[in-house]
Every structure is written in structure tokens, then in C-alpha cells.
Amino acid sequence: MVYTQEIAVLHSAFVLAEQQSPTPLHDLDKPNAKVTASQLHCTLQEIVSGLETAHKQFQQEHWSYKLTAILLEKVLDGQQAKQDSYFYPVCSILPTICKVLFFELIKALEWGKWFVQCLGQVPSSVAFSLLKDLFTHVHLDPDDSDQSLLTSICQSLLNQSPSTQQCLHQSGESISNEKKQTEAVLVTAFFQELDSLIPLFDKGEQRLKLTSSCLLYICGKLQKQKPTELRLRACDANITHQIPSKCEQLRTMFPRDSQFLTDRKILKKLTSRIDKMRTTESLTDHVDSDGETSTETCVSLVVEFLHKVLTKHCWLDNVDSGISGQELAQVAITQSTVDCLVSICEREEEDSTTRLYSSIREVCHILQLCVGRWKKSMPTSVSMETVAKATRVEKDGIHIQTALQKMKDKLDGYEDCHDWMLNNSEELYKDPRWIDALERNIDVLTSSRIVLSVAGIISTLRVRHPQDSAVPQVLRRLRKVLTAAYIQLPLTSQDAVLHQVLTVYGPGLLCSGPFREGVEDDVITGFNRMVLLGEGQEGVEVFSTMCGVALQAPLLFLKTAVNQAVNNTGQAGVMSKLLQVIPSLCTWRPDPDSASLLCTTLHDAAGDLRPNTREENNFITFVENLLQPYKPPFDPTCPFLSTPLLPAQDFASLAVFPYIYQHYGQDQRVPLTTALKLLQVVLQDQGGDNNGWLQPQQVFPIMLCLCQLLDDTSALWEDDDDDHPISRTAQIRTLTLTTMEKIQHISLEMLSSEPSKYEKQITWLHTKLKLLDWTSRLYVFPVLQLVLPQMKKEVPDVLFTFCDLPETTWRPLSDTLYGPGTGLVAMLECCRVSAEMAQYMTKAVTVDVEDASQLVLFQKGVTVALTQVLPQCVWREWNHVIQAVQQLMREGLLVVPVEQGGHCQDLKDALQVELSTSQQLAEVLQLMASPWAESWVSPSVWVHVVKNYVSTIQELQQSVSQSDSLPEAQLSVIGQFFCHCCSVMTVAPGEVCQQLFVLALDMLTMCQSLSTSANEEVALRQREGLRKEIEQLELHGGLKRTLQLKLDGIGQL
């Protein structure tokens, strides 16, 4: 713990108390210290409530426990403060205080339950002593606050399970034996003091709470014990003689009405039977099967307390014919033990039955008859608050007919009648008037508390009365009541209620069992009616209605919302807004270790997608929307953005990473292309810390997987491989390159602050990459070099024969497949990697420009290398290679001879690169059609190459049209482009002629436009030259005629 503002305020309170009192701070542990609880009470209350902003409930509980623990540590004088203690080192700042001051503070602040939790964190001997001292303290001058404190401590000790009794900051840890021992010691100490504590209470509500807590604890203990495990060694030996006398007393107090005659006879028979019992028989020891006598005394202790409840403290002494409300409540509380005790007795074996246990069973049987007569049977798990409330209701004489009349006419107190009907649902649900009244009074149910109460009634009826034929119809009507009340709540309250329902009852409360029929139709109908989506009141009503659908069938609702967004273009935004109204549905998790409900639903939907479809595009758009922070719908004044409904890390871990890591596995539920697109979405740079969820330990495996994909797709096709067409492989490679760029950008930002910290991870990545193609290391080289500055670029040694590559930054590789004469292929492979690499390689090339023969050989070598490399390039890589070729042309290293008979007149140097590029590509495509390449250039390869060729020529056309050259020069260059295209069209297969024809037609259209502003003589001469090119084409159908008609427009105004 650090010295926070709250601790500073607490410290100041002690200093101020010292100034107001004569006792120095270092003497506060003395019994005669003058500092009082009233001097510290206000400060502690202020810290709990919040110093600057009002604390929420969980924050108040957090600080209540923390302050109780700190003060208790000071009572113990730091004896429990260890290096790993929750309180260390704050204890050295605050003064030691005495027990009296501590007890007065927890009493004034009503911190009884936090005191019990803190006792569970100290040794059992210390906890026992503290609890005894507290009981002694409250005996000195008892008042109402002492009674409240004792009640709180009692309920905390007896009503909580061991797991919940632990410290708030240790939840989830296993309970040690020491903690169990401390719990047992505290409970024992409490029961030992119980005789002296009960007289401190009146016969009012506090006493009822205390005694009911004890009885409920007895039930819990007895339910966990088998009859043979009940030992009587610690019980009162006279118990069997006292119980008959109390039964006889109860019998004589019964009214002499005929309806009680049976009870009187049973009581008399019970009395005579028990009188004949011998005490020695009831005290017989029972031995366990292993021969050892049990030393358990806890069960005996609580059985003895049950006897005291029956025979002491006026439980039966004051029962008379008047049957006042107070005594009825006492009997009703006692009834909470009846079901438990009777069920235990029914499963016991006759030969192991003790006389004492039989007597308790028969006493409980008589009490059960009495309670049945008085119509005050209470459920075993009912809380004491409900008992007291039901007592008051019965005392006021409320019954169903009166309640119905008050609710019908909205008379004074009708809300209480409504609560009464809900609280007594198990007794009233068979009465048709009960459900009718709820249906007619929906407007009274419009509060979160009541809606949750109705949900609890539905759950109770389903669990406790599964065989009752009347229940299904009641449940269906209750479901309508619940939904009608729910949709009238504010949207924020609807979300809170939905969260509670999912947490407590799960997603199947209203859509399984008797509700299964028609659920799907109801959900579909709800979405079909969702037509009003404005920000006004109508829009709110529509969304409220849809929230009601979500309450009934959460899983089906979310699945339908996702399907609507996927199958209907333009619905992604609407469905995102709908889910933003009920974020609890999206973020709910069945258990802490599972993904959110929205994540799993999207994952299932992704598995049904087909790549490159409208549905896939809609799905990706929907995911993008869900990953964005948003303003709460219908609250335009809210100044804050809510966190995204879809956590990027959870979604990536569930629906993205597994299908990139195992893209060759059998369980490829999400297509690889879809997974790559989704990875781009979750990695998209939106500014700020949006990528903060990505950890370095995730970055390096992602980079390795992407490099593996690049290695797998370095060749876009394999021989006789029809299962993976070029288009799919090209798409995977394109997506991988784009994703690699994003992840590299994120990695450089992440590692730049402390690069040396990740040296081990980078070394691991580099070792793995050595198993792949040498180009894979070039893709991630900036990241490798950032962490390992001594790292060198590794390329085939053949590159060093014609490239000036300094060995200080480059390292030759001899174990590659590149032999003599393949250096240009290796160079172009480097150029594929990135534009920066292409620029560097073109500057490193060494060619003697003075030697014309070397220039010719170099140009021919580049043509052959391009023929081998370009067919394996996707568009991104194709661009890099073309940029490198154009750079070589600008530097005069690559000279492409102008085709003989060309029609380009007076061409300026500004357009020479564009013209040479077109000529070079035409030569490459002509070489692809030669016998040299016919063994590996298939029609699908032609389709892929021509697609990129057409795109490149179109970019060249645009570059020409945007240049400052004269129209005549532009017309000549475009005309030459047309000639190059015709030369390709002559040798290309029929599968690509249509693409080339459209390109040629576009060129003629551009020539026609340029001819209007060019010299007429030049335009006519150009037209005649192009006509000869068209005549040489072998085009089927009317394609040639179409080109001729378009050509006739050149030179005409």
C-alpha cells in the first residue's frame, strides 16, 4: 500500500485528535487514553464516502474493509504486519490504539462484517481473544448500536460461506487449514457467549435476526452430516427430560377446538413415550467404521443450541390462545429447521438412530403441524428480513382479496400489496387471480427491483415445481409480464437488469424448457419490426422493444443481430447501435476464463463465411464498428466514450490468431484470407493507444507466421496444383504483405523505447527465419536491425558480382539456388520486398554505360529476369519491380531499343521512361509466349500477368496525359502504347484477349481526344500508322471492326 490521499487524511485525523485531547499519539494504546471514537468517526466516514468524488458501493465496501484492517493492525501493535502484508508499511505511520477505541469505532460505523473478515486473517488464538474482548465490551453498557453490531457479527459468522469470509483481496485463493480452524474457533466462541448475549436483546426485530441466523446455521451444519456422525458427548444429559415437559406445556396451551384435537393427542403420546426413555440409552457412543470415535463436537453444539431455543428464552412459554404476531414469527422461524431435520431423519438407519435425535424429529413434526395450522410455513432459505416483513403483513390482515381490491382501485398501500403478492408467489401462483392481477398492473412493475423479483419467481417455479401441470401456463404468462415491465424501464436500467439476469440465471431462463416453443419466431418477428431507428422517442421505443427480445433469448438475439449485419449490406451500423444499447449482453462471459458472448458469436459467424463475398465484406465492416469506442446511444450530451463492445485482444485470440498459426491444419474454421483481413482490422492504427493490447510476446510469433505465409506464396503456383489457384494464392500474399507492413510499424514503435530488452525474442525470430527463404529476413530487417544493430542483410553471393554491396552491411549467402547468370533474378527478388530496397538495389548496380555491348546484354538479361520474376509478383511487388526498372532507365543503365517502324516523332526525353517501360513489358510478354516458357506459362498465369500489365499501362497513360508535353508528343506515345499492346495481343492466348482489347480500345479513345488539339497532319499520319497495326491483328467477330471505327475518329473535329 502506498501513502495515498486517504491515508494522509486518516493520519491528519489522529494528529487533530491529539491536539484536541491531552493524550499524545504514542499513548493512544493505553486504556485511559482520552481520544474518543467521535473524533475519528467523521473522518473515517468521509474516506469511505469519497474525498473528491462520491464512491460507488463497491468502493465504499473496499475502503470500509481496508480501514478496519488498518485499525485492527494498530490494535495489535503491528504484530501481524509482515513484508507481504496488505497493511505494510502504512502501520508505521499511524499510532497504536487501544481495543476500546477500536470497538467503539466499528460499532459507530457498523463495520461488524468487516471486523469478522479481518479476524479470519489473523491466527485463531488472536481472533478468539479479540472476539471475547468485544463481547465483554458490549456487556458493559449495552445500547441499540451494540445490538446492531452483535447482529452483524452473528450474521457474518454464520450466514457466509468460508470462501466469502475471506479478505476481499484474497478471493479465489484456497482456504488453508489455519483459516478453517479460525472460523471454527470464532463460531465456538460465539455459541459459548450466546446465553449471555440473547438477554441483551428485546423481543423485537434484532433478537429475531440473531436467533434466526443461529437456526439457519444449524440447518447448514445438519445438512452436511450423516445421522451416524451425530455425537452426543457434548450435549446436555438432561435434554431428553426437558423436551417432553415443553411438549406437554405446548399441548395444554392449545385451544380446545376440534381442529386441534389431533395435535393434542399426538403431543400426549409423544410425552409418554419420551418419559419412558432412559438417559443412558440416549448417550450411547457410536463408533465410525474405521473403529475410531469421532471427536467432532460442532454438530453436538448446534443440536444443544436447538434444544435451548425450544426450552429457553420464551420460545414456547408465551404461546397462548391469542396467537399474537410476535409468537407466530417465532414459530415461523423455528420452521426453518423443520424440513432439514425431517429429511435427515428419513434417511437414517434404524439401528443407528439415537433417542435424542428421534425426540427432536418428533418435536419438529409437532411444530410443523402447528405451523401448518397457523398458515405460516416459511421456506428454508428465506431471510429474516422477509420473515419480519411477512409478519407485519399478516398482522395488518392483508390477504389476496384485499390486495386485489387495493391494486384494482389504486388505493393507498396498493404498492405494498403488489410486493406482498410477489413475495408469496409460491403460495399464490395456483390462484388465477394472482397472475391476472400482475397482468393488469404492469405499470406498477416498472422498476428494476420488481423486474428482477419476477425473474426470480420464474426461476423458482421452474426449479421447485417441475412436475406441476399448472406451472407451464403460469410461466408463459409470467414471461409476458416480465417482458412488458422490462421494456418500460429506461435503457440504462434495462442493461443493468439484463446483466443481473445473465449473471444469476444464465441465458436460458426465458427461452428453454416451457418457453422453447416459438422462441425463434419471436426473435425474427422482433427484428422484422425494427424499422424506426431515429434518435427521437420513437427510436427509443423501438430499441426498448428489441431489448425485451434480448432478455427473452440472449444467445439467439445476438446470433440474429450478427446474421442481420452480415447478410444485409448497410445494416452493420444499425446492428452495432442496437448492441451498444445493451453492452452487458455483448460482454457477458459464461465463466471468467471464457471469451465474451459477442466474441464467440462472431467466431461462429466467421466460420460460415465464404471468402471474397458480400457477406464477408459486411462482416468485416461490422467488426470494425464493434472495435470502435462509442458514445452511448440516445445520450448525445454524454462527454465520454464507452469502451468498445468487442475487445480486440479477445477477438484476435479467438477468431484470428489460431487460423494464422495453423493455416495448414485440418480445423481451418475461419478461411485464411478472412483471418488476414480481420487481423488487419484489429491492428489498424486509429491513433492513441488502440494497439496497446498487443504485447511483444504476441508480435514476434505473428511476424514469424506472416513470414511463413510469404515463404509459402513466394511462387504463386506449383506444377499440377489445381487446388490452390493463382488468384487465391495472390490474394493471400497481398493480404500478408499489407499486414506485415502494419505489424512492422507497430513493432518499431513498441521496441524503440527499450530495444535491448527484446534481444532474446529477436534472436529467436532470426533463428526461425533462417529455415525459410532468404527473402523472408529482408521483410522484417528493420525490426531485426533495431534490436541487433550488428545484423547484416543476407543475399545470394551472385549479387556481389555486379552490385556494389558493402560487406559492412551486407553478407553473401553461398547456400542458395542462384548460380552464375541468375544475379539479375536475385536482384529483382530483392526489389520485390519494398520500394526502399528497389531504390537501393538500382543504385548498387554497376554497368559500363560506355560499352554498348554490355548495355545490350544487360537489357536482354533484365528481360529474361523480368519474365521469371514478374509472373510471381502480386500487384504490390509488381509496382516495386517496375519502379526499379524505370530507375535503371533514368540512370541510363537500361536502354530499351525503339521498335523498328515506330510512329513516334520528335519524342521528348520527358516521356522516354514511359515509352521504354511499355516497350520492355511488351518484350516480356512476347518472351512468355515463346517456346522457352511454354512449359510453365499456363492460361491462368497469363490471366494474372495481363491483369497487372493492363494496370501498369493505364498508369503510364495517366502519367502521359498529366505531363507538360505537347499534344502531338502525347499522341505519338499513346499510339506507340497501342502498337505494343497489339504486339502482345498477337501472341497472347484467347483467355486474355478480351482484357487487351478493352485496353487497346481505351488507348484509341485517348488518341481521339488528343487529336482534337494536336496538329492535324500529325494526327492523320498517326491514324494511318495505327490502321496498319489493326490490319495485322487476328481478332474474331466484330472486335477488329470496332477498333477501326474508333480509329476513324482520330483527326476529325
Side-chain angles (χ1 to χ4, degrees):
M1 184 189 297
V2 296
Y3 190 73
T4 61
Q5 183 180 3
E6 289 81 3
I7 302 302
V9 172
L10 179 60
H11 189 198
S12 302
F14 280 103
V15 176
L16 180 60
E18 178 191 23
Q19 295 174 355
Q20 296 174 349
S21 305
T23 304
L25 287 180
H26 58 79
D27 290 335
L28 290 183
D29 59 337
K30 296 181 178 179
N32 59 350
K34 300 301 181 182
V35 175
T36 62
S38 60
Q39 293 174 298
L40 302 175
H41 177 272
C42 294
T43 301
L44 293 171
Q45 189 62 49
E46 181 183 6
I47 294 175
V48 171
S49 301
L51 297 179
E52 298 179 353
T53 58
H55 281 167
K56 297 181 180 179
Q57 181 66 28
F58 76 93
Q59 292 173 311
Q60 294 182 14
E61 294 180 353
H62 169 78
W63 274 106
S64 296
Y65 170 78
K66 182 184 292 185
L67 292 173
T68 306
I70 292 173
L71 293 174
L72 178 59
E73 191 68 24
K74 300 315 299 178
V75 171
L76 301 175
D77 194 17
Q79 298 172 12
Q80 307 304 318
K82 302 177 182 178
Q83 291 292 337
D84 57 347
S85 172
Y86 178 76
F87 321 116
Y88 188 89
V90 174
C91 295
S92 61
I93 300 172
L94 303 176
T96 303
I97 62 177
C98 63
K99 294 179 182 178
V100 174
L101 177 58
F102 175 70
F103 291 153
E104 288 298 317
L105 282 173
I106 64 173
K107 181 173 67 174
L109 293 163
E110 299 180 354
W111 285 355
K113 69 174 182 178
W114 309 121
F115 173 64
V116 172
Q117 287 196 7
C118 290
L119 290 182
Q121 310 305 311
V122 299
S124 57
S125 58
V126 178
F128 181 85
S129 176
L130 283 170
L131 190 59
K132 285 283 189 179
D133 290 342
L134 176 63
F135 292 153
T136 303
H137 177 76
V138 299
H139 272 94
L140 297 178
D141 187 18
D143 54 21
D144 292 340
S145 59
D146 289 307
Q147 296 177 9
S148 299
L149 177 63
L150 288 175
T151 303
S152 175
I153 291 175
C154 168
Q155 292 175 333
S156 299
L157 279 173
L158 306 182
N159 291 355
Q160 295 184 8
S161 64
S163 61
T164 59
Q165 288 178 355
Q166 293 203 76
C167 170
L168 293 177
H169 303 275
Q170 294 180 341
S171 60
E173 298 180 359
S174 60
I175 307 173
S176 64
N177 293 330
E178 183 178 356
K179 295 288 175 56
K180 293 181 179 179
Q181 180 182 1
T182 302
E183 177 194 358
V185 167
L186 293 176
V187 172
T188 303
F190 175 77
F191 274 106
Q192 289 175 353
E193 296 290 333
L194 197 56
D195 283 339
S196 61
L197 293 177
I198 289 182
L200 298 179
F201 294 84
D202 300 329
K203 293 184 180 181
E205 184 176 349
Q206 294 293 343
R207 183 173 181 181
L208 293 176
K209 287 184 178 180
L210 176 66
T211 313
S212 66
S213 296
C214 297
L215 286 173
L216 293 175
Y217 181 80
I218 292 170
C219 289
K221 284 295 182 182
L222 292 179
Q223 283 176 331
K224 297 177 182 178
Q225 299 292 329
K226 297 179 180 178
T228 56
E229 295 175 349
L230 294 174
R231 298 294 178 259
L232 310 177
R233 188 179 298 275
C235 290
D236 188 352
N238 297 321
I239 187 172
T240 56
H241 294 295
Q242 297 173 12
I243 289 180
S245 63
K246 303 312 283 186
C247 291
E248 178 63 23
Q249 180 183 359
L250 179 62
R251 184 183 68 83
T252 59
M253 289 181 178
F254 276 161
R256 298 184 179 277
D257 297 340
S258 59
Q259 62 178 345
F260 288 101
L261 290 178
T262 303
D263 296 340
R264 291 168 60 85
K265 292 179 180 178
I266 295 177
L267 280 173
K268 185 174 182 180
K269 180 180 179 182
L270 175 63
T271 302
S272 62
R273 284 182 57 189
I274 297 179
D275 280 339
K276 298 178 181 178
M277 292 169 53
R278 290 181 299 174
T279 304
T280 56
E281 292 179 350
S282 66
L283 297 177
T284 303
D285 289 337
H286 293 268
V287 181
D288 292 337
S289 59
D290 58 359
E292 296 182 2
T293 303
S294 174
T295 59
E296 290 280 347
T297 61
C298 188
V299 175
S300 300
L301 186 64
V302 296
V303 170
E304 183 176 2
F305 172 74
L306 176 61
H307 157 65
K308 291 180 179 180
V309 170
L310 292 172
T311 60
K312 196 175 180 181
H313 305 309
C314 305
W315 279 99
L316 299 179
D317 293 341
N318 297 328
V319 178
D320 55 23
S321 58
I323 314 179
S324 64
Q326 188 64 43
E327 280 67 41
L328 283 176
Q330 294 171 354
V331 177
I333 295 171
T334 307
Q335 172 60 24
S336 63
T337 63
V338 171
D339 294 336
C340 170
L341 292 174
V342 171
S343 64
I344 293 176
C345 294
E346 288 176 351
R347 67 172 183 262
E348 67 182 355
E349 299 177 3
E350 186 63 30
D351 56 347
S352 63
T353 303
T354 65
R355 300 299 185 183
L356 171 63
Y357 207 80
S358 298
S359 65
I360 293 178
R361 176 181 59 185
E362 297 195 34
V363 169
C364 290
H365 175 66
I366 299 303
L367 291 176
Q368 191 173 24
L369 292 175
C370 299
V371 173
R373 287 278 189 261
W374 294 328
K375 299 184 184 298
K376 284 300 300 178
S377 177
M378 302 296 294
T380 303
S381 60
V382 69
S383 66
M384 193 53 232
E385 287 77 5
T386 306
V387 174
K389 186 172 183 179
T391 303
R392 292 193 296 271
V393 169
E394 188 68 21
K395 188 175 181 179
D396 293 338
I398 294 180
H399 52 85
I400 188 168
Q401 189 60 40
T402 304
L404 291 173
Q405 188 63 38
K406 285 188 176 182
M407 292 165 60
K408 179 180 178 181
D409 300 330
K410 297 294 188 291
L411 300 177
D412 185 32
Y414 75 94
E415 294 93 345
D416 294 335
C417 295
H418 219 295
D419 289 342
W420 176 80
M421 295 188 70
L422 294 176
N423 292 334
N424 292 273
S425 57
E426 284 201 74
E427 291 76 23
L428 302 176
Y429 75 91
K430 291 185 178 181
D431 193 327
R433 296 173 297 175
W434 177 75
I435 189 64
D436 290 341
L438 295 181
E439 291 174 336
R440 289 196 301 267
N441 292 272
I442 297 295
D443 55 324
V444 185
L445 299 174
T446 54
S447 73
S448 300
R449 178 184 63 85
I450 295 181
V451 170
L452 289 172
S453 178
V454 176
I457 292 172
I458 293 176
S459 176
T460 300
L461 292 179
R462 290 188 59 179
V463 172
R464 296 189 180 181
H465 305 282
Q467 305 300 327
D468 193 334
S469 59
V471 167
Q473 181 62 27
V474 174
L475 287 176
R476 282 188 283 270
R477 296 175 68 180
L478 271 178
R479 181 192 182 201
K480 294 181 180 179
V481 170
L482 174 63
T483 305
Y486 175 78
I487 64 177
Q488 295 184 35
L489 297 174
L491 290 177
T492 54
S493 299
Q494 290 182 8
D495 181 59
V497 169
L498 179 59
H499 174 73
Q500 289 292 329
V501 171
L502 290 173
T503 302
V504 177
Y505 308 110
L509 177 65
L510 302 176
C511 59
S512 61
F515 305 123
R516 186 179 296 109
E517 184 178 355
V519 169
E520 187 171 354
D521 293 338
D522 292 343
V523 174
I524 295 175
T525 301
F527 276 93
N528 290 339
R529 291 177 179 175
M530 187 179 173
V531 292
L532 300 175
L533 304 175
E535 295 288 342
Q537 184 62 30
E538 292 180 341
V540 174
E541 292 177 356
V542 170
F543 278 92
S544 295
T545 303
M546 296 306 296
C547 290
V549 178
L551 178 69
Q552 296 179 44
L555 300 180
L556 183 58
F557 174 88
L558 191 55
K559 180 180 179 180
T560 306
V562 172
N563 289 339
Q564 288 283 333
V566 171
N567 297 322
N568 300 284
T569 303
Q571 287 293 306
V574 177
M575 292 299 110
S576 299
K577 184 177 180 180
L578 174 60
L579 297 182
Q580 289 166 4
V581 174
I582 43 177
S584 294
L585 175 61
C586 303
T587 58
W588 181 74
R589 301 171 186 266
D591 56 77
D593 297 330
S594 63
S596 66
L597 193 57
L598 180 59
C599 277
T600 55
T601 305
L602 291 172
H603 179 219
D604 294 340
D608 298 331
L609 297 175
R610 290 180 300 164
N612 307 317
T613 58
R614 175 177 58 88
E615 289 77 14
E616 184 192 59
N617 294 333
N618 294 339
F619 180 82
I620 293 174
T621 302
F622 187 46
V623 170
E624 287 178 340
N625 291 341
L626 296 174
L627 288 169
Q628 302 293 328
Y630 65 94
K631 279 193 173 183
F634 306 105
D635 189 7
T637 61
C638 180
F640 305 108
L641 291 175
S642 299
T643 56
L645 295 177
L646 183 63
Q649 182 173 7
D650 291 354
F651 181 70
S653 300
L654 181 67
V656 179
F657 292 157
Y659 306 107
I660 296 176
Y661 297 156
Q662 303 175 358
H663 56 278
Y664 286 124
Q666 297 295 326
D667 189 20
Q668 189 66 24
R669 187 172 182 179
V670 178
L672 178 58
T673 54
T674 304
L676 288 170
K677 293 176 183 178
L678 292 174
L679 180 58
Q680 293 182 24
V681 171
V682 297
L683 293 179
Q684 60 187 343
D685 188 9
Q686 301 167 356
D689 298 329
N690 288 333
N691 287 319
W693 63 269
L694 193 63
Q695 300 300 319
Q697 58 266 29
Q698 295 174 307
V699 169
F700 301 110
I702 293 175
M703 296 178 70
L704 176 60
C705 290
L706 295 177
C707 288
Q708 288 176 335
L709 286 174
L710 292 176
D711 184 56
D712 296 339
T713 58
S714 58
L716 296 184
W717 73 90
E718 300 290 344
D719 295 338
D720 301 327
D721 187 4
D722 297 331
D723 295 334
H724 297 85
I726 293 179
S727 60
R728 179 179 180 274
T729 308
Q731 184 185 21
I732 293 174
R733 187 170 183 84
T734 301
L735 292 170
T736 304
L737 289 171
T738 306
T739 309
M740 177 66 80
E741 184 179 14
K742 289 180 179 293
I743 197 68
Q744 188 174 143
H745 174 73
I746 295 172
S747 302
L748 291 174
E749 286 187 351
M750 185 182 299
L751 307 181
S752 58
S753 59
E754 295 181 279
S756 59
K757 180 180 178 181
Y758 305 101
E759 182 175 348
K760 183 177 180 180
Q761 290 89 333
I762 285 294
T763 303
W764 170 85
L765 178 62
H766 184 255
T767 303
K768 293 292 184 180
L769 293 178
K770 286 183 178 180
L771 303 176
L772 306 179
D773 186 68
W774 60 273
T775 56
S776 63
R777 299 189 287 278
L778 296 179
Y779 285 102
V780 296
F781 185 78
V783 178
L784 298 175
Q785 191 178 45
L786 177 64
V787 180
L788 301 175
Q790 72 278 11
M791 184 75 66
K792 298 180 180 180
K793 296 185 180 73
E794 299 169 308
V795 294
D797 53 4
V798 69
L799 276 175
F800 288 80
T801 59
F802 66 95
C803 292
D804 184 14
L805 301 175
E807 295 186 359
T808 55
T809 56
W810 295 78
R811 188 171 76 87
L813 296 175
S814 58
D815 56 345
T816 62
L817 300 178
Y818 295 89
T822 60
L824 287 173
V825 175
M827 184 198 74
L828 294 181
E829 290 285 357
C830 291
C831 295
R832 290 175 64 182
V833 173
S834 65
E836 293 78 9
M837 184 67 71
Q839 185 177 10
Y840 187 93
M841 294 305 298
T842 54
K843 292 180 179 180
V845 173
T846 56
V847 178
D848 187 2
V849 296
E850 302 298 332
D851 189 343
S853 60
Q854 283 197 26
L855 291 177
V856 172
L857 290 175
F858 183 74
Q859 191 272 332
K860 290 183 179 180
V862 169
T863 302
V864 174
L866 288 173
T867 307
Q868 294 176 274
V869 174
L870 283 180
Q872 303 288 359
C873 293
V874 296
W875 174 244
R876 183 191 187 95
E877 298 170 315
W878 180 290
N879 265 339
H880 295 160
V881 174
I882 295 301
Q883 290 173 12
V885 169
Q886 291 178 335
Q887 185 63 29
L888 291 174
M889 292 175 179
R890 293 188 184 94
E891 295 178 2
L893 301 178
L894 181 61
V895 180
V896 181
V898 178
E899 193 177 69
Q900 294 294 329
H903 307 283
C904 185
Q905 302 293 331
D906 301 325
L907 179 63
K908 291 188 176 181
D909 293 339
L911 300 178
Q912 184 62 50
V913 172
E914 285 79 0
L915 182 60
S916 298
T917 303
S918 177
Q919 175 66 32
Q920 181 66 69
L921 289 175
E923 291 184 10
V924 170
L925 268 69
Q926 289 172 350
L927 184 58
M928 285 176 56
S930 65
W932 171 71
E934 65 180 359
S935 61
W936 56 270
V937 179
S938 63
S940 59
V941 175
W942 270 103
V943 171
H944 171 70
V945 173
V946 168
K947 177 183 177 181
N948 290 336
Y949 167 75
V950 169
S951 298
T952 302
I953 298 301
Q954 289 174 341
E955 288 186 352
L956 294 176
Q957 289 179 247
Q958 186 177 6
S959 176
V960 171
S961 64
Q962 294 176 352
S963 69
D964 297 332
S965 302
L966 295 175
E968 292 80 6
Q970 294 183 19
L971 180 61
S972 299
V973 171
I974 299 300
Q976 198 67 23
F977 287 174
F978 180 81
C979 295
H980 298 157
C981 182
C982 289
S983 65
V984 173
M985 200 181 307
T986 303
V987 298
E991 288 83 355
V992 297
C993 282
Q994 186 68 29
Q995 293 176 292
L996 295 172
F997 169 78
V998 173
L999 177 63
L1001 193 63
D1002 182 57
M1003 292 177 183
L1004 293 180
T1005 302
M1006 188 173 179
C1007 289
Q1008 184 178 1
S1009 176
L1010 289 172
S1011 66
T1012 58
S1013 55
N1015 182 275
E1016 183 178 358
E1017 182 180 353
V1018 173
L1020 293 176
R1021 187 168 57 250
Q1022 186 69 29
R1023 183 179 67 183
E1024 294 305 317
L1026 298 179
R1027 190 181 301 279
K1028 295 179 181 179
E1029 292 290 339
I1030 295 176
E1031 292 295 336
Q1032 296 176 3
L1033 292 176
E1034 296 181 1
L1035 296 177
H1036 60 84
L1039 298 181
K1040 180 183 291 188
R1041 179 59 180 166
T1042 302
L1043 293 177
Q1044 291 173 341
L1045 291 176
K1046 178 64 70 172
L1047 182 65
D1048 292 339
I1050 298 178
Q1052 297 181 2
L1053 298 178

